[in-house]
Amino acid sequence: MAKFKVLFDGEYEDDIFDSEEAAKEYALYLCSCSREGAEILNMSNPGDYEYDEDNFEYPDYEIVEIDED
């Protein structure tokens, strides 16, 4: 039975999912965490951590099907 992993920002996440939909939901959660982290870093030290709400680029992610026996 096929399983799915998330390749997020060039690295595989540890979690394995039973459906592509569940993996995508997790990847979107990671994207939202990235944005929130960028906002927080900017608030704590705006000189070192630039953040533009309108031009924020989310990290790349890909859902990868794996064959786990």
Side-chain angles (χ1 to χ4, degrees), residues 5-13 26-28 30-31 34 56-64:
K5 287 191 95 171
V6 176
L7 179 62
F8 188 78
D9 204 22
E11 296 185 27
Y12 282 100
E13 294 296 311
Y26 182 68
L28 293 175
L30 293 175
C31 286
S34 295
F56 180 77
E57 292 185 27
Y58 288 99
D60 293 330
Y61 72 87
E62 182 179 344
I63 309 303
V64 179

Side-chain angles (χ1 to χ4, degrees), residues 3-47:
K3 301 281 185 173
F4 299 89
K5 287 191 95 171
V6 176
L7 179 62
F8 188 78
D9 204 22
E11 296 185 27
Y12 282 100
E13 294 296 311
D14 293 334
D15 297 326
I16 297 173
F17 300 92
D18 292 327
S19 70
E20 188 172 3
E21 182 66 30
K24 184 175 182 178
E25 189 174 310
Y26 182 68
L28 293 175
Y29 166 74
L30 293 175
C31 286
S32 71
C33 290
S34 295
R35 184 178 188 126
E36 184 176 359
E39 290 175 13
I40 291 170
L41 285 173
N42 177 262
M43 285 188 288
S44 64
N45 194 348

